[in-house]
Structures are given as structure tokens and as C-alpha cells.
Amino acid sequence: MVATATDTAPARQFTRPRTALILVGAAILLTLLQYSGLLPAALHRLPEAWIPPFAAWLDAGFNFVKDDLGLLALTRFLTEGLEWVLDVTANLLFGQRRWPFLGPIPWTAIAAVAAVIGYYLGGWRMALLGGGVFAWTALIGQWKIAMQTASVLVVAAPLAFVIGLTLGIAAWRYAWLDRALKPVLSVLQTLPFFTYLLPAVIFFKVGPTAGAVATTIYAIPPMILMTTLGLQKVSPEVVESGHMSGCSRWQLLRHVYLPSARTEILVGVNQVIMLSLAMVVLTAFIGMPGLGAKLLAMMGSFKLGRSFEIGVTIVLLAVMLDQMSKAWALKQPEHFERGTPWWKRHILLLTGIGAFVFFCILGQFVEVATDIGRKQNFSMGSEIDQLMKDFLALNWVNAITDGIRYFLNVQVLIPFRNFLLSIPTPALILLISAFALWLGGQRQAIIAALFFGMIALSGWWDRSVITLYSVISAVALAMLFGLPLGIAAARSDKWSRRVLLACDTAQTFPSFVYLIPAIMLFGITDVAVIFSILIFAMVPLTRYTIEGLRTVPAEMLEAADMSGATRRQKLWKVQLPLALPTMAIGFNQAIMFAFFMVIIAAFIGTQDLGQELQRTLAGTDMGKNFVLGICVSLMALTFDLTILKWATDQKRALGLGE
């Protein structure tokens, strides 16, 4: 029996690679038959008669729910309440001239309160960050548009938190709900943002209301996941002590489970805030005023300097909110000795209230303390615009960009796109399935075949292939730049910190800011699309390469040094193999970022799913919008599930845990 098991072990070991090679061989055969004209047309692309009318079915379902079941009437009723709340925040933050007729709050008062909160959370540095960001926003002349964005953010983020926390608790309490929510959340996290916008417009009107709804829904998934994770990790000993003290079920949740899961819940809050800020900027596409709308307007007129200033403001707001929410997650509750006076226990609260009142009164007498006019601000947008135009007009710059554009377009990108489009549909499905089988296993291969088969049945196969071509091209180029950069930076603490800071900055820039330099350098071409995606996709590749290499156990490096390995041998034989599971997360995120950014790149004028999604915003075609969004989601989920499965298997094989 032992001999038989030993004899069959190699056969089992090579089953996956061999099967993957067979699938690749079948794909090559189908492609060669297509090139030779011997493949039936139905095997190259599905005939239109075979494609189910998913969009029409979905439209009928949406219309039934919207009209016959009265969902539209319900949402329009809810809209009135949401509009009232948004009017209040708008009036307070930038003066909407509606109830309660108290706004706008002076920028100095908000900056002072932010500084006090920052000091409470992280000391003087955090205070300077909190107050400084709001001071920058006012001094650069962007206060009103920033407050237009903030007026929606302060409504959407708390809503997402409350809904996400409630659903997370319910999913933790009921296993069947957790199982039902997980696939839904996976799809929601990979759906392109355009798919959130159209339903919000139809059910909640154009403008801030639709923007708040879309932002809320977009930010809910991580809150649900982190709440469920935190509650599941509460140790049984802590729960047992709660039972022994006679707690009821509600008391257990309030006084035992939630405090024990505080860190995970606050991490979820951090993600909610960051996603809300990202989405509230993108809702400019549906008439949401604020920083996003101004940025889109500046992009439309190619004003790079002004766009850059707005982008910097969004980055600073994102960094401030990120750092403060992280500090909140790490900060432990303060305890005071019995008998400490109330004012000593709440000295910072009183300081914040006092600063707020002082600057509100000051604003009544000193205009600049409330509002900084156009002629008083320090905006350098026009100067930056002129500087960039002068730079781009240089002969050597034009020569370089023209050369890159010609080489990539003519020699690389267009041939690669045409090659992918020439592959028969079943052949490409076999290739994707072979990749998933080789990397992830049989289950991932079946999922890949199922998902891409659904895309083929959607009727949008060619558009999906063009989307996939953009993602593959951008991620491949991002690897050429991002991996060497990460490897080089990982050699020293100083450069690791610098590059990671640059990654943080690049990631918090509004995504469609990258379209402007791409268009100005390379025109309306595929190179501009790939370039804009490339920058966004490089961030996780570089970050996780650095983190993976920097976390290689020191004893492994010492063993390599003792065996006489050179720096190159140590990198290739020790560091990279051990860092690959962590780097795989970077590959996965790069692909997810690329799928997100390729939809943004539709603004350039692509021919992929993003372009079709953008067109649906001009009408009420929810069925088509949803089908297109699901196509993007299915492609992203295929790579997500496959790469994460491989990373998990590698960690287990290396003894690094799940």
C-alpha cells in the first residue's frame, strides 16, 4: 500500500499543471482553426440570437419593483428627509440659505476645532495636520467647494457606519445571513462606481441626494466585514466572564462584544471614511457639486494647475481623515482618579467649544476669518498651468512622448489588443481557466469558466476583452516599474519610508487627476489610458513588494549570509520566495485598482465597458448598466479569488499561517 501511494504521488502532483497545459493546447488549436478559416462562426463569437436579453429582463424587473411595487414612491418620500438633512449640513458648512439659517461656520472655527481634535488623538503633530489642512483649503481659495463635498460626507459616512455596523452584528449573530452576505459584498466591492450612480439618480434625484445615497452604499461593505470579523474574534473567556456577571444578551453585546471588537470596528470606520471621500468626489458625474465637480470642470478645460491644487486638497483631506481615524482606533480610553473635577476630565472638550465660539464671534467682525475672497487667496493655478504648458512645448519633451506613443501604440498595445480580440471566445475562456487552475486549483478554474461564460452570454464580450486588455497591459507595465522600485527601496529603512510615503500620496490623489497628464503627454490614445491606469496600479505593487521583503525573517537572511550567498542570490533564493505571498496581495490589488481605473479612463474616450457604462448615465437604462457592471465585477472576482487562493496556499506551504 505504501509503494502504491508513493508511485501515484507524482501523478497527483502534476495533475494541475498537466490539465492546465491541455486546456492551453485546446485554446491554441481553436485559435489556429480560426486563423485558418476552419472554425465555425458560432465558436468564434456567440451569434446574437443565442444571447439572452438580460438587460431587457432586468429592466422589466426594475420597472416592476420601481413602479408596481412602489419603490420609487418610497425612495422619493425618503429623499425628502435626506434632502432636509443635507440642507442643514449645507447651510452650516457653506451657507445654503435654508433652515436653520445659521451658516456658514467660519473656516477659522472649523480649523480650530480640527486642531483640538487632532491634539486629543495624537498630540501636536496631529493638531497641526488637522488645523493645517483646513487652513490650506481656505487660503488656497477652495473652502466653499470643499464644504460642499464635506456637507455630503458628514451625512453619508455616519449612515454607512450605522447600516454597516447593524448588518455586521446581524451577520455575526446569524450564520445564514453571513453566508448570504459574503458573495453580495464581494460583488459590491468589485462593481464599477458607475453602477452605483445610475440607480441613485433614478431613485433619489440628481445632485447631493443621489451622491449621498451612492456614497453610503459604496462605503458599507468594509464596515460589515470588519464588524463581523471583530465580533468573531472575541475570546470565549471574555464572553464567559460576561455570562458569570449576569449580563443579558443586549448587555453582552454592548458591554462585552463591542468593546472587545473596538479595534476592528474602528478600522472599519477608517475604511468607511476613505471610501466615502473617494466616492463623494466621483459623484460629480451625477451633478454632485464640490471638489469633484470643480475638478471635472478643470479637466474639461485642461487646466492642469488648478486641477493639481484641487487634487492636493483632496489628498490632504484624505490623509487627515485617515490619520485621525487610525489614531482613534489606536487610542485607549482615558481614566481619571475618583474625585477629579469635571472640567479637568473634559478640558479639551471645553477648549474646543471655546475656540469654536471665539472664532464664530470673530468672524462676525473680521471678514477674512469667515471667508477668503478670490483676490485674497494664494492660488497658483494659473502659474502652474503656464509652467506645464511651457514644459510640454519643449522639443525634447515632444520627441520623447511622440516616440513612446508611437512605439507602444503601433508595436505593443494595438497588436496585443487585436490579438486578444482575434482569439475565439471558448479559447479565451479556456486560457483564463487554465491560468486559474494552475494558480488556484480546480475550484478556481470552474469559477473562472463560469464567470467568463456568463460574460460571453451577456452580449458584451468584445468590450469586455478590450477592458481586460487595458488591465493586463497596465498591470504588466506597472510590474516593470513597480517591482524594481520596491526591491530597491526595501534595501534601506530610509528609502522604504520615502517610497511608502509617495505610495500613500499617489493612492489618495483623486483617480481621474491622472487622466490630465496622460492626455497632455500622449493625446487621446490607448497609451494615455494605459499610462493613467499604470500609475494607480503601481502603488500596491511597490508597497507590498517593500512590505514583503522587509518582513522576511532575520534568521533566514542570516542563514543565507552564513552560507556565503551573494546579494543577488539572497534576493532570488531567499527573500523573493518568502515575500511572494505578501507580494501576491499587491498583484491582486493592482488588478483591482486597474479594473477601477479603467472605468475612470472612459473619460478619455475608450471603447471598453467603461465607455458604455458612462453612456448609461445619460438615460434610465438600468438593465444595461447592471449587465455592464456585472461583467466588470466577474472579471475582477476571477482574478481576486484565484490570486488570493494562491497566496493562502503559499503561506501555508511556507508555514506562515493563513
Side-chain angles (χ1 to χ4, degrees):
M1 293 296 293
V2 175
T4 304
T6 306
D7 292 340
T8 58
R12 286 200 303 269
Q13 181 181 355
F14 289 101
T15 296
R16 272 167 53 179
R18 284 179 177 175
T19 307
L21 282 175
I22 292 171
L23 294 178
V24 172
I28 293 173
L29 177 62
L30 287 172
T31 304
L32 292 175
L33 288 173
Q34 167 63 22
Y35 289 169
S36 60
L38 300 176
L39 190 73
L43 287 179
H44 177 59
R45 291 290 184 271
L46 287 182
E48 288 190 17
W50 294 11
I51 296 173
F54 289 121
W57 294 344
L58 287 169
D59 274 331
F62 285 136
N63 289 332
F64 173 75
V65 172
K66 177 169 67 79
D67 300 323
D68 297 341
L69 295 184
L71 182 60
L72 182 62
L74 174 63
T75 56
R76 289 300 167 91
F77 171 75
L78 295 175
T79 298
E80 294 179 5
L82 186 57
E83 279 182 338
W84 181 84
V85 176
L86 290 170
D87 282 344
V88 171
T89 57
N91 174 256
L92 292 173
L93 291 176
F94 65 92
Q96 187 70 4
R97 298 185 182 278
R98 296 179 184 175
W99 190 91
F101 302 104
L102 296 174
I105 299 172
W107 69 267
T108 47
I110 294 177
V113 171
V116 173
I117 293 173
Y119 183 79
Y120 168 74
L121 293 173
W124 286 109
R125 288 187 178 181
M126 197 72 74
L128 288 173
L129 177 64
V133 167
F134 286 109
W136 155 274
T137 305
L139 294 173
I140 209 71
Q142 296 171 11
W143 185 257
K144 184 173 182 179
I145 57 174
M147 291 303 102
Q148 288 173 339
T149 298
S151 68
V152 175
L153 185 64
V154 297
V155 174
L159 265 178
F161 164 73
V162 171
I163 296 171
L165 182 68
T166 305
L167 288 176
I169 293 171
W172 160 73
R173 179 76 71 183
Y174 304 106
W176 63 267
L177 181 60
D178 187 36
R179 290 192 298 270
L181 278 177
K182 279 186 176 176
V184 175
L185 296 177
S186 296
V187 172
L188 285 176
Q189 289 183 306
T190 52
L191 276 178
F193 72 94
F194 280 137
T195 306
Y196 289 89
L197 300 184
L198 184 60
V201 169
I202 291 174
F203 288 106
F204 294 93
K205 301 180 182 178
V206 174
T209 310
V213 171
T215 301
T216 300
I217 297 172
Y218 187 72
I220 284 174
M223 191 67 227
I224 298 174
L225 293 171
M226 293 308 300
T227 300
T228 306
L229 176 65
L231 293 172
Q232 288 172 345
K233 287 174 64 177
V234 176
S235 65
E237 292 82 6
V238 174
V239 179
E240 185 62 29
S241 65
H243 283 297
M244 292 177 65
S245 63
C247 289
S248 64
R249 178 178 290 185
W250 166 249
Q251 289 172 328
L252 270 178
L253 176 64
R254 183 180 175 186
H255 298 294
V256 178
Y257 278 105
L258 290 178
S260 300
R262 177 179 181 273
T263 301
E264 287 79 9
I265 290 173
L266 290 179
V267 170
V269 172
N270 171 261
Q271 294 187 20
V272 164
I273 292 171
M274 299 309 293
L275 287 177
S276 295
L277 180 60
M279 189 62 172
V280 80
V281 172
L282 294 172
T283 52
F285 285 98
I286 54 171
M288 169 66 204
L291 291 167
K294 191 68 173 179
L295 188 55
L296 274 180
M298 293 298 102
M299 284 177 58
S301 54
F302 291 100
K303 293 183 178 178
L304 183 60
R306 188 67 170 155
S307 301
F308 177 76
E309 285 185 343
I310 296 172
V312 168
T313 299
I314 296 172
V315 168
L316 291 174
L317 286 170
V319 170
M320 180 197 69
L321 292 171
D322 179 55
Q323 293 300 313
M324 283 192 170
S325 55
K326 284 180 179 177
W328 186 24
L330 296 173
K331 188 173 179 63
Q332 297 300 316
E334 294 184 18
H335 300 283
F336 297 90
E337 294 181 4
R338 186 184 298 273
T340 303
W342 184 89
W343 67 268
K344 282 189 176 180
R345 287 184 282 119
H346 300 90
I347 184 66
L348 288 178
L349 174 63
L350 295 173
T351 303
I353 294 173
F356 180 81
V357 172
F358 171 77
F359 284 108
C360 283
I361 296 172
L362 181 66
Q364 302 300 313
F365 302 98
V366 182
E367 184 179 355
V368 75
T370 300
D371 182 45
I372 296 179
R374 179 176 296 181
K375 294 182 179 180
Q376 297 169 307
N377 65 53
F378 297 93
S379 173
M380 299 290 289
S382 300
E383 290 79 0
I384 298 174
D385 279 335
Q386 190 58 49
L387 185 65
M388 291 303 300
K389 288 176 182 177
D390 292 341
F391 174 75
L392 293 172
L394 295 174
N395 291 333
W396 65 271
V397 174
N398 285 323
I400 292 174
T401 55
D402 288 346
I404 294 173
R405 180 170 59 242
Y406 175 81
F407 173 75
L408 287 179
N409 259 335
V410 177
Q411 302 296 329
V412 180
L413 296 177
I414 294 177
F416 179 51
R417 183 191 66 190
N418 293 340
F419 168 69
L420 286 181
L421 288 171
S422 72
I423 298 176
T425 299
L428 189 54
I429 293 175
L430 287 173
L431 287 174
I432 299 293
S433 301
F435 167 78
L437 176 65
W438 170 68
L439 206 61
Q442 182 178 352
R443 184 170 181 268
Q444 278 63 37
I446 293 171
I447 290 173
L450 178 63
F451 283 2
F452 273 79
M454 293 171 66
I455 293 170
L457 288 171
S458 71
W460 295 100
W461 179 261
D462 283 353
R463 298 276 184 169
S464 299
V465 170
I466 295 173
T467 303
L468 187 62
Y469 136 79
S470 298
V471 169
I472 293 173
S473 301
V475 172
L477 289 173
M479 288 172 61
L480 290 178
F481 295 102
L483 295 183
L485 178 62
I487 292 170
R491 291 180 178 175
S492 72
D493 290 334
K494 180 178 71 174
W495 281 104
S496 293
R497 288 194 299 269
R498 289 176 178 178
V499 174
L500 287 175
L501 178 61
C503 288
D504 288 339
T505 304
Q507 191 170 336
T508 50
F509 253 100
S511 46
F512 45 91
V513 165
Y514 296 116
L515 300 182
I516 302 174
I519 295 171
M520 296 185 77
L521 288 170
F522 303 110
I524 308 296
T525 62
D526 283 13
V527 177
V529 174
I530 301 303
F531 179 79
S532 61
I533 302 171
L534 179 151
I535 303 173
F536 215 53
M538 269 184 61
V539 172
L541 281 171
T542 305
R543 171 187 293 282
Y544 283 96
T545 298
I546 294 173
E547 292 185 359
L549 292 173
R550 299 292 291 176
T551 54
V552 172
E555 55 269 21
M556 301 299 294
L557 299 178
E558 291 174 4
D561 289 331
M562 292 177 65
S563 65
T566 64
R567 174 181 283 186
R568 179 175 296 180
Q569 289 172 331
K570 188 165 64 173
L571 174 66
W572 286 100
K573 302 293 185 181
V574 180
Q575 291 175 289
L576 284 177
L578 290 173
L580 268 179
T582 302
M583 292 169 64
I585 299 173
F587 296 134
N588 182 62
Q589 286 200 8
I591 294 172
M592 297 301 105
F593 281 19
F595 273 110
F596 174 81
M597 190 63 193
V598 76
I599 305 303
I600 302 286
F603 193 80
I604 293 178
T606 56
Q607 296 178 332
D608 57 11
L609 293 172
Q611 187 64 232
E612 291 296 327
L613 273 166
Q614 193 176 48
R615 288 173 183 163
T616 62
L617 294 182
T620 58
D621 198 350
M622 282 185 62
K624 177 183 174 182
N625 178 277
F626 192 72
V627 169
L628 293 167
I630 287 295
C631 287
V632 177
S633 180
L634 291 176
M635 288 191 289
L637 280 172
T638 299
F639 290 100
D640 180 55
L641 295 173
T642 301
I643 295 174
L644 289 183
K645 176 63 165 58
W646 179 85
T648 302
D649 291 343
Q650 287 298 109
K651 285 184 178 181
R652 190 182 295 115
L654 293 168
L656 301 175
E658 296 265 337

